[in-house]
Structure formats: structure tokens, C-alpha cells
């Protein structure tokens, strides 16, 4: 059931939600959370589709906040709220409200969203595209226990990670991190069997792919060994290699779906390691709503190494260079041994010049 | 979904000294270590409809180790490829997750088939060399679980063969486990004998008895509901609970299982394992932890406290379904089914009353019932509470008010229902029953793992939490044996028309206590 409301208020939307639920005869719905999606007209469709898919695992009220501040001064001076209320088969297993905030109202989204939150249930805020610099200080972000950004969708993914580290607050998380759960669990499972000391590690992946950086940083943080980040043609992360006493533990995924695991003294084996859909990522994010300390530790470990290390080779490839020699060059971050200093800012500055055209689309 | 059992996975998920693991890192799933699964009776229904799809779904969720091996053993003249084709078909038809070629590829590389009879030494030698070959080619590390998806009469043969050919014991720190399905015997003596046979070959902690009910989310949720909340436990005792009804109803008949079912009957088939396990989970005291030992200790305590009514004739009922129309179809009576002796006394419906002698439950009756060809397929636990001691309403205002109840719906439509009284809107005061529902929701359960997935993964991880131990099995037979003996000696089963909720005798049995069955 769909109700269109133009020039409306949160109170009228609430009434609309109750009406719609009564009309389809299911007044009690076991929704477990409110998911607020902050986006623009362009990405709203895909984001809502992914969220609706994820709501099959986590029945939720989905509030899509689309800001339309307008271009002309006259448009900007106006303020109007339009809403679409979707309940029943159109809205997955929960309820969806698409909110369009026109003019001045676009700056006061929290005033619209607050009355529409489910009582008592947790609130998750998701920015599918450009997230705010400081999610937990954002007026909408303040409403949520969980704030999901996506570094891969920002103009400069690697710089975005630095920003995330600087402004981290408990409850922050990033889809670039979610994307590497499969890699992390496979590597952890490999080390379950192999207890020898690890001396160094290498992670290979596409340029401007923040997930590759995060995987490298996670390994560096957990293992306390130098980790080299290499650039390859992708897609996404293409390999991880841990050097142990008697050889290398290699996990290679050249094609984005089937990986090969090689361990010293053991036969090579295939393992399915698919790049997942956004809906699966969101479903994973919604599974746990407590602060992710491992993410914090990883992304904050990174900030020290996103800048070039003195004495370390920290050549940051320009997009052109990385395309020319896809796998040979060392790229930022040259995440080195733990406890490195925080001198120089060349890496960060150079990275920021990465062209938007090279922006990672779906990446892990 | 909260799975309280996760806490026991420590050590099963991997060594604590793995630098990449951290208890705070809860995103990382439990992946089984290098291992393989050998299925005996791989051509059977269970294997095709449940086991093989579950293995694929586990692989698809990324929970199986790289190099996982699946070995089929059966009396067929198949090559590895034929076997892979059979698995492929069953996965395509029955798997819950979408079919993905790369997952299939990964899995298919580790599939082997060993043709042979269970008494054939050569076949078991082939099995042994197959397993050794897999250790080399796939790195399974000698860790194998043997799933005995065969009728119990073959158990002795199979386990003895495994022992004889040195397959029941791994080298070094590798493990070998046995997985067995119900029925775990047909009475105490046969259960003990079966346990002796299996334990003679595999140590008790390496034997996993599958009761697929315990793998269901809703059953695991009983523990979360009781022990993670504060609002239920204070009333979960004889002061507030009037009685408890545990029901497992099927709408199907015996189908093609006449050979298995006749002589076994509903009580042995369902009450002995599923219903008594549900009873134990509903009534046990809080365990100190979710460690398998602690959990088993509490279940054993409460099962040991179960007492039967003195007069079994008055407080137990068994029955057979008769020819009737069920839900728009004309169906045969039990005695008319193909392969059933027309004089058979086997019960297709059984209802019993039990009590638990401890401080918490003394005097509270537990009514357990199960049957085939009942109204609809449903499994539920209904905790029915006492009436309020005093009702300050005008006479007549509460006439339609029933007893408060909390119903755990195990399947289908998984969830929890609470029934309580509410005022009927209007100028007069009139209180009537209403229900409040918690539903997992159709889609939620679709994407949550199937019982067999969870159980197979637990076997590979060595997590015994969701598996009844042999003491539990023996205690349940202790409870059921006197009833079966009584039925054997006294009279014949009652009758009920197929598609109804059981015989009139069952209604009388509750009426004697001043109660009535819920319509589930």
C-alpha cells in the first residue's frame, strides 16, 4: 500500500503509517530497528532496494531522507516536506517512508526524522554516498547508535579513511570494512591451523580501493609486522600473502569470485570468496549494533601510516602510474612496522589528487 | 539472532593464540577447520533433501574450510562424477541459498564416491585409501566425520568395519567423529545396546546424535527467552503456571515409511526424543554456562525428576487415524495403508501426562501429544498460567476471559504468542482474550540457516551443545518404557478421524483434570 503526502509534516506521516498498517490488516509488526538512509535523488533507488532486501533479515522501518535544497535563491527560501509512505508488499518486511526535503528544510532533516523513529528500537543511519566529515556530530548521525559510511563511494577513498579515523566515535562503521569480512575470516581460519611466526605480509588490490587499505592495516595492526600494499588491476582486492618461516600463506582472488588458498606443506585449494552485494553488506552491518572495536583499532592504526614513513619507500602512485604498472609499485599506505612516527604529510596530499573518475564503485 | 550456544565455541573456532582472532571481533564467523564428511547411505531421502543441500549452503555462506571433502558411500555402481551429479541435482532442487557456480566448483573438487556393501572389506579399504588421498590432495588433515544415514540395524556393521580398518581413530591430533540419527533404539535395553556398539568404537564425546529439532532457531530461542530476560523467569514455576502443553502435530500420514513406522509408533518416534527434549529445555534450571557439560547436567536433572502418573490407563492415550476427509482430500486410515497389518496396534497418536518432582514444578502437569494426520502441521509449547486469584469485576464481565498463556511456536510460523485479557471497547466492562504476537517473519527464517546446516557445522567444529548425550537418550527411554509396556498389555488404540485433533479419549483425559487441549 502506498500513500503520497505532499507539503506534509511528521505528524501526518505517522498518521499515514498507522492508517496504512490498519488498512492491510497487520497492526502489529515486529520491527527491530529504524534505518535512516541519507542520500540524494540519484542514489536513492539503489540504496532503498538494498535496504529493502536487507530488511528480510532485519524487519525495519526505513526512512529515506532525500535532500533537495534547490538551486535558485527562491527555491532555497521555500521549505516543503513531501513523503511517500509504503507499507506491505512494496516495502519488504517493514515500512518505508521516502522523505523529500525541499529548500531550507534540507538543513533541518533531524526535525523531520526524530518523530518518525520507532520507539525504543535502535536507529541506524546510513550514508550510501558522501557521508559527513564527522558522522557522530552530524545532526542526523546523532540520532543513531550505528552510523554507516562508505569510503569507497567518496571522492577520495583513501583520504576518507583518514577522516574516519580522525572522527571515529563508537558506533561508526564503514562498508569498506564490511567488504573484507570474507577475507578476514579466511585468513584467520588459515592461521588457526598454522601457528608459526609471521615475518611480513603483502596485500594486493585495485588502486583507490579502501578495502585493500583496511585489510593491510588490519593485518599490520593484528600481526605487528610490516605490511606492504601493492596495486593490481583488480577487481577489488586480488591477493594477500603472509610470509611464515617455511614459505608463504597465499590467498589469491584474481577474478573477484573464486580464490585459491596456498599454504606451505598443503595442497592448493579453491575457496569461494565472492564480492558481495550492497544488500548483503547492509544485512551484515545490521546484525550487530554494538561498537566495532576492531574497526576502530584498524582504521586508527591506519592514520599513522597513511602518511609517508621517513626512510620507508612511500611512493604514492598517481592514477596514471598505477594503471601503467599495475602490480609492481608500492602504493600508499606503505603500512610498516607498528609504532611508526607521524611525520610528513606527502602521502595524504598526493592521494587527495586522485581523480574522481577513478572512484571505486563496488569494491572489496 | 541470539544464539546462546556461541559462547561455548571457544576453542572450536580456532586456537586462542591466533593473532588474527579477537573475542571482540564478532564479525568473523566460526569456520570449521580442515575436515571432510563421509555419508553412509548417501542415496537416501534424508541425504538428498537435507544433508547435501545443507553442505552446499554452508559452503555458500563461507563456513566450510577450503578443501572440504564430501565422500559418499552406498551400494551403487557410481564414479565420482556420477555422485557429483547427484549432489548437484539435489543442491539445485533443495538448497536454500542461490546456486553459484564458483561455490559448486570449490565443493565438487572434493567429492568422492565409494561403492560397496557395509560388510565388504574391500570397500572399506577403498574408503581408507580415499580418505588418505583426500588428506594429500585436499589437505583435510585426517579429520573426518562419519554420518550414518542408514537404518539402525546396519550400525553395528558400519562401526565395526570402521574400527577394523583403522578408520575410527585419527593420527596425532586429528579427529574422527560419528554422527547418528534417530531412532536411538526402541526401548531402554536396545538404546543401551546401541550406545555400547557405537561407544565401543568411538569415544562418547565423539558421537553426535542428531535431533534436528535442537538445531532449529526457535528451540535455541527457548534458552534466550528464559535466561536472557527478566520478565518470564519469575513466573516460570508452580506458583503461576497451571499446566504446560507440548504438541507436535503432522498432517501427513506414514507415507512410504510403513516398514519403519509399524511397530514403532508416534510415542517412540516423536515423544521419546523431540518432545522430551523440548520438555527439558522448557523446564530445566538455569545452567551455569552454555558449555555442553553444564547444559547436559541440567537437562539430565530435570529428566531424572520426571514421574509418570500412577494410573497410566487414565492419563495416557494412544490412537490410530481412520479413513476420512482431511482438508479437502480423502485419505486412508492407518490400518488400510499399504504394508500395514490390519491388526496392527501401532499408535499414530499419543498423548501422555507427566509431572516433574522438584521445587519449581511439583504438581504442575505436563501434557505431551503428537500424531499423524492431525488438523495441521504445527509444533508448539504452550505454557498456560493460573487464573488471577481474585477478579474485581462485575459477574459476567470476565466470563469470556481464558487463562493467560505464553506459546512458543516452534514451527511453522516461528515465533512467540502471548495471550492475555483486554477490555472490549464499549461502555460496559467486558474482558476478553487477545493475543500479542512476535513473529520471526517468513523472510527472516528463509535467510537464517536450516537446522541441518547448524548441526553439521557444529559436528565439524566439535561443538556438542545441540546434541543429546547418551544419558539423555537412556533417561527418555526410562520415561517412555513403562507407558509402552502398559499399552502393550492393555487394550487397543483408540480411533480418530484423519484431519481432526485426535481421539475423544484424549479430550476426556484432560477433562478429568478439569482442563482442555488448546487448538494449536
Amino acid at each position: 500500500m502506498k500513500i503520497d503526502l505532499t507539503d506534509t509534516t511528521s505528524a501526518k506521516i505517522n498518521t499515514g503509517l498507522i492508517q496504512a498498517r490498519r488498512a492491510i490488516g497487520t497492526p502489529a509488526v515486529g520491527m527491530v530497528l529504524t534505518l535512516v538512509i541519507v542520500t540524494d535523488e540519484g542514489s536513492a533507488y539503489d540504496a532503498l532496494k538494498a535496504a529493502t532486501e536487507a530488511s528480510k533479515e532485519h524487519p525495519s522501518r526505513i526512512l529515506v531522507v532525500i535532500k533537495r535544497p534547490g538551486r535558485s535563491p527562491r527555491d532555497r527560501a521555500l521549505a516543503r516536506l513531501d513523503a511517500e509512505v509504503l507499507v506491505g508488499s512494496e516495502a519488504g518486511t517493514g515500512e518505508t517512508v521516502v522523505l523529500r526535503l525541499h529548500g531550507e528544510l534540507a538543513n533541518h532533516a533531524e526535525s523531520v526524522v526524530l518523530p518518525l523513529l520507532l520507539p525504543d528500537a535502535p536507529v541506524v543511519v546510513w550514508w550510501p554516498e558522501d557521508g559527513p566529515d564527522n558522522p557522530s556530530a552530524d545532526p542526523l548521525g546523532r540520532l543513531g547508535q550505528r552510523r554507516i559510511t562508505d569510503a569507497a563511494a567518496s571522492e577520495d577513498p583513501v583520504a576518507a579513511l583518514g577522516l574516519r579515523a580522525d572522527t571515529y566515535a563508537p558506533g561508526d562503521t564503514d562498508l569498506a570494512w564490511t567488504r573484507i569480512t570474507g577475507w578476514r575470516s579466511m585468513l584467520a581460519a588459515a592461521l588457526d591451523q598454522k601457528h608459526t611466526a609471521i615475518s611480513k605480509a603483502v596485500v594486493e588490490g585495485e588502486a583507490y580501493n579502501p578495502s585493500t587499505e583496511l585489510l593491510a592495516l588490519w593485518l599490520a595492526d593484528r600481526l605487528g609486522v610490516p605490511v606492504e600494499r601493492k596495486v593490481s588491476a583488480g577487481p577489488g582486492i586480488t591477493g594477500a600473502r603472509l610470509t611464515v618461516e617455511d614459505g608463504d600463506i597465499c590467498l589469491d582472488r584474481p577474478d573477484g569470485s573464486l580464490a585459491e588458498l596456498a599454504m606451505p606443506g598443503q595442497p592448493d585449494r579453491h575457496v569461494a570468496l565472492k564480492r558481495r552485494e550492497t544488500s548483503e553488506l547492509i544485512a551484515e552491518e545490521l546484525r550487530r549494533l554494538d561498537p566495532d572495536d576492531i574497526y576502530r583499532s584498524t582504521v586508527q592504526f591506519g592514520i599513522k601510516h597513511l602518511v609517508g614513513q621517513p626512510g620507508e619507500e612511500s611512493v604514492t602512485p598517481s592514477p596514471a602510474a598505477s594503471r601503467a604498472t599495475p602490480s609492481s609499485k608500492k602504493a600508499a599506505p606503505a603500512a610498516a612496522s607498528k609504532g611508526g612516527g607521524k611525520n610528513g604529510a606527502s602521502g595524504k596530499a598526493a592521494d587527495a589528487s586522485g581523480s574522481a573518475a577513478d572512484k571505486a564503485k563496488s569494491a572489496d | 539472532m541470539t544464539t546462546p550456544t556461541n559462547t561455548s565455541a571457544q576453542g572450536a573456532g580456532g586456537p586462542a593464540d591466533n593473532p588474527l582472532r579477537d573475542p571482540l571481533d564478532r564479525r568473523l564467523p566460526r569456520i570449521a577447520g580442515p575436515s571432510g564428511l563421509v555419508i553412509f547411505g548417501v542415496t537416501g531421502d534424508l541425504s538428498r533433501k537435507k544433508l547435501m543441500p545443507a553442505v552446499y549452503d554452508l559452503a555458500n555462506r563461507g563456513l566450510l574450510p577450503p578443501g572440504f571433502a564430501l565422500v559418499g558411500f552406498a551400494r551403487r555402481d557410481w564414479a565420482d562424477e556420477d555422485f557429483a551429479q547427484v549432489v548437484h541435482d539435489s543442491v539445485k532442487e533443495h538448497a536454500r541459498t542461490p546456486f553459484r557456480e564458483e561455490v559448486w566448483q570449490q565443493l565438487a573438487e572434493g567429492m568422492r564416491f565409494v561403492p560397496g556393501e557395509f560388510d565388504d572389506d574391500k570397500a572399506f579399504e577403498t574408503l581408507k585409501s580415499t580418505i588418505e588421498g583426500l588428506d594429500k590432495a585436499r589437505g583435510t588433515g585426517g579429520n573426518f566425520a562419519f554420518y550414518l544415514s542408514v537404518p539402525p540395524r546396519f550400525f553395528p556393521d558400519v562401526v565395526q568395519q570402521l574400527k577394523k580398518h583403522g578408520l575410527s581413530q585419527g593420527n596425532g591430533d586429528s579427529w574422527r567423529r560419528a554422527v547418528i540419527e534417530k531412532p536411538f533404539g526402541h526401548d531402554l535395553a536396545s538404546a543401551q545396546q546401541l550406545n555400547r556398539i557405537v561407544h565401543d568404537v568411538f569415544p562418547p564425546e565423539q558421537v553426535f546424535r542428531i535431533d534436528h529439532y535442537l538445531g532449529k532457531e526457535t528451540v535455541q530461542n527457548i534458552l534466550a527467552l528464559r535466561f536472557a530476560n527478566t520478565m518470564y523467569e519469575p513466573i516460570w514455576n508452580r506458583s503461576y503456571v497451571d499446566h504446560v502443553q507440548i504438541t507436535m502435530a503432522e498432517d501427513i500420514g506414514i507415507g512410504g515409511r510403513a516398514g519403519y513406522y509399524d511397530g514403532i509408533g508416534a510415542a517412540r518416534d516423536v515423544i521419546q526424543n523431540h518432545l522430551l527434549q523440548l520438555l527439558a529445555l522448557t523446564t530445566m534450571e538455569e545452567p551455569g554456562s552454555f558449555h555442553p557439560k553444564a547444559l547436559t547436567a541440567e537437562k539430565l536433572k530435570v529428566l531424572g525428576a520426571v514421574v509418570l502418573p500412577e494410573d497410566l490407563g487414565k492419563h495416557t492415550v494412544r490412537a490410530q487415524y481412520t479413513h476420512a476427509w482431511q482438508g479437502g482430500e480423502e485419505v486412508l486410515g492407518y490400518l488400510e495403508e499399504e504394508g500395514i497389518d490390519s491388526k496392527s496396534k501401532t499408535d499414530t497418536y499419543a498423548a501422555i501426562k507427566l509431572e516433574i518432582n522438584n521445587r519449581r514444578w511439583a504438581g504442575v502437569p505436563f501434557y505431551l501429544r503428537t500424531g499423524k494426520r492431525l488438523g495441521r502441521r504445527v509444533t508448539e509449547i504452550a505454557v498456560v498460567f493460573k487464573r488471577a486469584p481474585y477478579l474485581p469485576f462485575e459477574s459476567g464481565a470476565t466470563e469470556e476471559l481464558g487463562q493467560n498463556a505464553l506459546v512458543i511456536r516452534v514451527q511453522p510460523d516461528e515465533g512467540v504468542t502471548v495471550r492475555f485479557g483486554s477490555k472490549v471497547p464499549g461502555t460496559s466492562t467486558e474482558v476478553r482474550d487477545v493475543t500479542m504476537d512476535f513473529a520471526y517473519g517468513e523472510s527472516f527464517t528463509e535467510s537464517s540457516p536450516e537446522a541441518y546446516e547448524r548441526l553439521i557445522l557444529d559436528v565439524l567444529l566439535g561443538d556438542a551443545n545441540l546434541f543429546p548425550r547418551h544419558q539423555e537418550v537412556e533417561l527418555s527411554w526410562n520415561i517412555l518404557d513403562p507407558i509402552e509396556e502398559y499399552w502393550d498389555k492393555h487394550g487397543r488404540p483408540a480411533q480418530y478421524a484423519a484431519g481432526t485433533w485426535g481421539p475423544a479419549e484424549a479430550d476426556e483425559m484432560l477433562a478429568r483434570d478439569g482442563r482442555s487441549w488448546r487448538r494449536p
Side-chain angles (χ1 to χ4, degrees):
Chain A
M1 166 154 195
K2 184 176 166 200
I3 302 176
D4 269 315
L5 298 164
T6 32
D7 202 359
T8 186
T9 63
S10 299
K12 287 182 193 156
I13 296 170
N14 261 326
T15 314
L17 278 167
I18 293 170
Q19 265 177 6
R21 256 188 273 147
R22 288 230 168 111
I24 60 168
T26 50
V29 187
M31 285 179 289
V32 295
L33 55 90
T34 309
L35 175 63
V36 182
I37 307 174
V38 190
T39 180
D40 54 28
E41 207 69 70
S43 335
Y45 179 80
D46 286 339
L48 182 56
K49 213 171 123 196
T52 308
E53 194 60 36
S55 82
K56 289 186 179 171
E57 191 176 325
H58 310 275
S60 44
R61 175 178 288 180
I62 302 171
L63 305 175
V64 186
V65 178
I66 301 173
K67 296 183 181 178
R68 304 181 69 164
R71 289 211 174 77
S72 68
R74 204 165 65 93
D75 285 349
R76 278 201 287 274
L78 285 173
R80 196 179 86 227
L81 173 63
D82 292 344
E84 270 172 58
V85 177
L86 302 165
V87 176
S89 53
E90 285 96 342
T93 54
E95 308 167 330
T96 301
V97 184
V98 181
L99 302 159
R100 290 194 172 79
L101 280 54
H102 299 272
E104 174 62 18
L105 187 59
N107 300 323
H108 305 284
E110 72 282 4
S111 76
V112 176
V113 168
L114 185 67
L116 296 177
L117 301 177
L118 288 172
D120 252 6
V123 178
V124 178
V125 186
W126 172 32
W127 293 269
E129 293 276 307
D130 290 300
D133 288 353
N134 186 347
S136 59
D138 180 86
L140 277 172
R142 265 204 301 264
L143 298 175
Q145 271 92 332
R146 190 91 171 165
R147 293 166 295 272
I148 307 171
T149 50
D150 188 356
S154 62
E155 292 283 308
D156 180 352
V158 180
L161 286 184
L163 198 58
R164 295 293 154 243
D166 284 339
T167 60
Y168 175 86
D172 283 5
T173 177
D174 197 285
L175 290 187
W177 172 247
T178 322
R179 288 187 183 98
I180 61 172
T181 303
W183 281 86
R184 296 197 304 123
S185 51
M186 210 40 83
L187 289 170
L191 285 204
D192 279 343
Q193 312 159 35
K194 195 88 190 163
H195 315 272
T196 49
I198 293 149
S199 52
K200 65 185 170 86
V202 180
V203 177
E204 277 183 12
E206 241 174 314
Y208 299 97
N209 176 305
S211 296
T212 317
E213 258 78 23
L214 280 172
L215 185 62
L217 293 169
W218 177 65
L219 288 173
D221 182 32
R222 300 302 306 181
L223 301 174
V225 299
V227 178
E228 192 184 337
R229 195 271 198 228
K230 280 188 176 167
V231 173
S232 71
I237 303 175
T238 50
R241 192 157 71 241
L242 310 177
T243 305
V244 293
E245 279 156 18
D246 49 349
D248 281 357
I249 298 176
C250 286
L251 188 58
D252 284 310
R253 185 189 66 178
D255 63 351
S257 67
L258 191 64
E260 192 172 78
L261 176 70
M263 291 174 70
Q266 289 192 20
D268 292 359
R269 286 160 299 194
H270 281 125
V271 31
L273 199 59
K274 194 185 67 140
R275 309 182 77 196
R276 293 181 294 170
E277 305 286 333
T278 312
S279 58
E280 293 170 75
L281 302 175
I282 289 295
E284 179 186 319
E285 275 309 321
L286 299 184
R287 227 164 273 152
R288 300 209 170 263
L289 298 174
D290 48 345
D292 190 339
D293 288 326
I294 307 295
Y295 166 68
R296 175 189 59 76
S297 160
T298 300
V299 76
Q300 291 194 336
F301 183 86
I303 188 70
K304 305 179 199 120
H305 302 288
L306 276 173
V307 290
Q309 297 296 307
E312 278 279 329
E313 201 190 342
S314 66
V315 186
T316 312
S318 70
S322 71
R323 267 198 300 274
T325 51
S327 60
S328 60
K329 237 166 170 194
K330 261 190 199 173
S337 60
K338 215 169 184 171
K342 189 182 179 179
N343 325 325
S346 57
K348 196 168 184 176
D351 253 326
S353 68
S355 80
D358 237 12
K359 190 164 95 175
K361 287 201 180 63
S362 145
D364 87 323
Chain B
M1 175 63 228
T2 329
T3 42
T5 47
N6 275 355
T7 45
S8 69
Q10 261 278 305
D17 57 352
N18 182 344
L20 294 183
R21 292 218 185 262
D22 188 315
L24 289 175
D25 199 346
R26 284 180 290 252
R27 283 176 197 263
L28 298 191
R30 305 182 300 157
I31 298 185
S35 53
L37 181 68
V38 181
I39 304 179
F40 293 96
V42 76
T43 49
D45 248 20
L46 177 80
S47 166
R48 278 188 302 110
K49 288 193 183 141
K50 295 286 185 188
L51 301 184
M52 298 196 271
V55 166
Y56 170 81
D57 287 334
L58 281 174
N60 207 353
R61 291 180 209 274
L63 299 175
L64 288 184
F68 178 79
L70 181 66
V71 183
F73 188 107
R75 200 175 44 199
R76 293 286 161 93
D77 198 14
W78 283 350
D80 290 348
E81 297 78 49
D82 303 322
F83 174 56
Q85 188 57 43
V86 170
V87 183
H88 185 269
D89 293 346
S90 89
V91 165
K92 277 241 161 140
E93 193 174 347
H94 298 290
R96 296 157 63 93
T97 53
F99 188 83
R100 280 164 40 197
E101 192 58 36
E102 74 271 12
V103 176
W104 172 254
Q105 277 309 324
Q106 168 202 354
L107 208 53
E109 284 168 15
M111 286 186 196
R112 303 287 184 275
F113 186 77
V114 179
E117 307 267 347
F118 297 137
D119 55 3
D120 179 1
D121 282 343
K122 244 173 62 196
F124 277 82
E125 277 307 313
T126 317
L127 180 62
K128 188 175 186 184
S129 59
T130 305
I131 283 177
E132 283 163 358
L134 282 167
D135 283 346
K136 283 201 192 75
R138 304 280 290 167
T140 37
N143 301 317
F144 280 87
F146 298 99
Y147 199 120
L148 276 63
S149 182
V150 295
R153 63 176 183 279
F154 294 118
F155 282 11
D157 275 355
V158 177
V159 294
Q160 279 309 324
Q161 286 281 30
L162 289 174
K163 187 180 184 184
K164 184 173 165 192
H165 296 277
L167 286 162
S168 59
Q169 214 131 36
N171 303 324
D173 52 3
S174 69
W175 49 259
R176 296 289 159 93
R177 297 185 180 130
V179 187
I180 55 179
E181 281 270 350
K182 72 166 192 181
F184 312 121
H186 54 86
D187 58 12
L188 181 61
S190 61
Q192 282 171 333
Q193 194 199 353
L194 181 75
N195 286 335
R196 263 198 309 277
I197 291 168
V198 179
H199 292 169
D200 181 39
V201 176
F202 291 95
E205 67 275 9
Q206 301 294 356
V207 180
F208 291 75
R209 289 170 185 78
I210 295 244
D211 183 336
H212 67 273
Y213 258 66
L214 299 187
K216 287 188 185 292
E217 286 287 347
T218 29
V219 173
Q220 295 167 36
N221 193 36
I222 296 174
L223 297 181
L225 182 89
R226 290 191 57 201
F227 302 128
N229 295 307
T230 49
M231 55 196 267
Y232 303 113
E233 207 52 21
I235 53 168
W236 214 256
N237 55 54
R238 64 184 310 268
S239 309
Y240 295 92
V241 174
D242 180 64
H243 70 282
V244 176
Q245 299 185 8
I246 303 180
T247 305
M248 178 180 155
E250 291 174 280
D251 53 3
I252 52 167
I254 54 161
R257 294 167 72 219
Y260 162 74
Y261 200 84
D262 200 41
I264 295 285
R268 286 193 181 102
D269 191 37
V270 173
I271 293 184
Q272 180 270 330
N273 37 56
H274 305 321
L275 293 198
L276 286 177
Q277 282 290 332
L278 293 182
L279 175 77
L281 291 171
T282 310
T283 56
M284 66 183 216
E285 297 296 319
E286 184 174 83
S289 72
F290 282 115
H291 189 275
K293 274 212 177 101
L295 213 57
T296 307
E298 292 303 335
K299 285 204 274 181
L300 287 177
K301 251 161 65 188
V302 77
L303 286 175
V306 167
V307 284
L308 299 177
E310 300 226 327
D311 186 347
L312 288 174
K314 278 205 173 107
H315 298 290
T316 67
V317 169
R318 78 206 135 127
Q320 291 172 339
Y321 59 83
T322 57
H323 191 117
W325 285 80
Q326 179 194 29
E329 269 181 308
E330 191 175 7
V331 297
L332 294 175
Y334 179 68
L335 297 179
E336 303 160 352
E337 299 265 13
E338 202 185 319
I340 300 294
D341 177 3
S342 62
K343 291 195 190 62
S344 169
K345 280 172 74 179
T346 303
D347 47 310
T348 66
Y349 175 98
I352 61 173
K353 174 187 176 179
L354 299 174
E355 290 195 20
I356 295 175
N357 270 354
N358 62 23
R359 181 172 281 247
R360 187 193 282 262
W361 294 116
V364 179
F366 292 82
Y367 301 104
L368 276 53
R369 63 172 161 170
T370 181
K372 293 202 173 286
R373 287 259 185 252
L374 294 181
R376 68 184 180 97
R377 170 175 164 259
V378 61
T379 303
E380 62 167 38
I381 303 162
V383 180
V384 182
F385 295 95
K386 292 185 173 166
R387 285 179 189 280
Y390 169 69
L391 292 166
F393 300 92
E394 293 166 36
S395 67
T398 53
E399 229 163 48
E400 285 184 71
L401 177 66
Q403 286 166 283
N404 294 164
L406 185 129
V407 183
I408 299 168
R409 305 193 307 270
V410 176
Q411 73 169 16
D413 187 22
E414 294 84 347
V416 180
T417 302
V418 179
R419 186 177 70 182
F420 58 99
S422 171
K423 181 180 173 298
V424 179
T427 47
S428 66
T429 304
E430 165 100 34
V431 183
R432 193 188 281 173
D433 284 333
V434 294
T435 59
M436 192 161 69
D437 257 344
F438 160 68
Y440 279 99
E442 191 79 30
S443 327
F444 185 97
T445 46
E446 252 169 47
S447 47
S448 69
E450 214 261 341
Y452 275 98
E453 278 180 60
R454 173 71 196 265
L455 294 175
I456 291 175
L457 180 63
D458 280 359
V459 168
L460 299 177
L461 289 166
D463 185 349
N465 234 333
L466 300 178
F467 300 85
R469 302 268 87 174
H470 66 100
Q471 301 96 320
E472 291 169 55
V473 173
E474 288 173 14
L475 262 180
S476 338
W477 283 121
N478 248 338
I479 296 168
L480 197 61
D481 276 355
I483 298 176
E484 292 283 357
E485 273 165 37
Y486 178 89
W487 285 349
D488 238 18
K489 295 198 188 97
H490 298 83
R492 285 194 55 81
Q495 302 210 313
Y496 62 102
T500 62
W501 283 109
E505 285 81 351
D507 297 336
E508 285 159 21
M509 168 184 143
L510 257 73
R512 246 172 247 135
D513 294 350
R515 300 191 174 90
S516 62
W517 290 109
R518 264 175 60 82
R519 193 184 64 242

